[in-house]
């Protein structure tokens, strides 16, 4: 894990996980109440020899703990370029409260 850019969060999965046929990645979003607002964080995970994506716990509404690093992501939608930050997840587990 990139220690100079380490991020650790817990939150609730806001929708079902999106993946491709080979399950070579998974994208999801977690949300956490912050005062009267909700903070949403877009996440992406890539499986490796050291990290297996635990699809069995990645269901909408589950509370999870994630750790990883932030990276910029640029995409174009309807002719408009968007610059966003996403969390590249390297660890996922259910929170202790589950």
């Amino acid at each position: 894990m990139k220690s100079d850019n380490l991020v650790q969060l817990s939150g609730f999965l806001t929708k079902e996980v999106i993946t491709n046929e080979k399950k070579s990645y998974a994208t999801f979003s977690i949300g956490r109440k912050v005062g009267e607002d909700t903070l949403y964080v877009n996440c992406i995970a890539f499986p490796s020899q050291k990290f297996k994506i635990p699809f069995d716990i990645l269901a909408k509404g589950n509370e999870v703990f994630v750790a990883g690093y932030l990276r910029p992501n640029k995409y174009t939608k309807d002719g408009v370029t968007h610059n966003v930050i996403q969390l590249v997840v390297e660890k996922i587990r259910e929170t202790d409260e589950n």
Side-chain angles (χ1 to χ4, degrees):
M1 197 173 302
K2 298 180 179 188
S3 61
D4 62 334
N5 188 4
L6 175 64
V7 176
Q8 299 180 16
L9 300 169
S10 66
F12 294 89
L13 287 142
T14 61
K15 57 185 175 183
E16 295 301 324
V17 172
I18 299 170
T19 188
N20 63 354
E21 290 178 12
K22 297 179 184 178
K23 293 190 175 182
S24 60
Y25 70 89
T27 62
F28 54 94
S29 179
I30 60 173
R32 169 69 69 188
K33 282 290 228 182
V34 179
E36 294 182 14
D37 297 322
T38 303
L39 171 68
Y40 296 97
V41 178
N42 292 325
C43 303
I44 189 164
F46 301 97
S48 67
Q49 289 180 346
K50 294 181 182 180
F51 171 66
K52 304 293 182 220
I53 299 173
F55 288 101
D56 57 321
I57 67 168
L58 295 179
K60 181 179 178 179
N62 283 359
E63 187 174 14
V64 294
F65 170 84
V66 294
Y69 60 93
L70 297 175
R71 77 167 187 191
N73 187 28
K74 183 188 290 189
Y75 67 93
T76 302
K77 182 176 181 180
D78 298 328
V80 178
T81 300
H82 300 271
N83 291 295
V84 297
I85 299 288
Q86 66 185 167
L87 177 64
V88 178
V89 176
E90 295 181 323
K91 292 182 182 180
I92 305 172
R93 66 171 172 80
E94 288 183 289
T95 60
D96 295 332
E97 290 81 35
N98 288 343

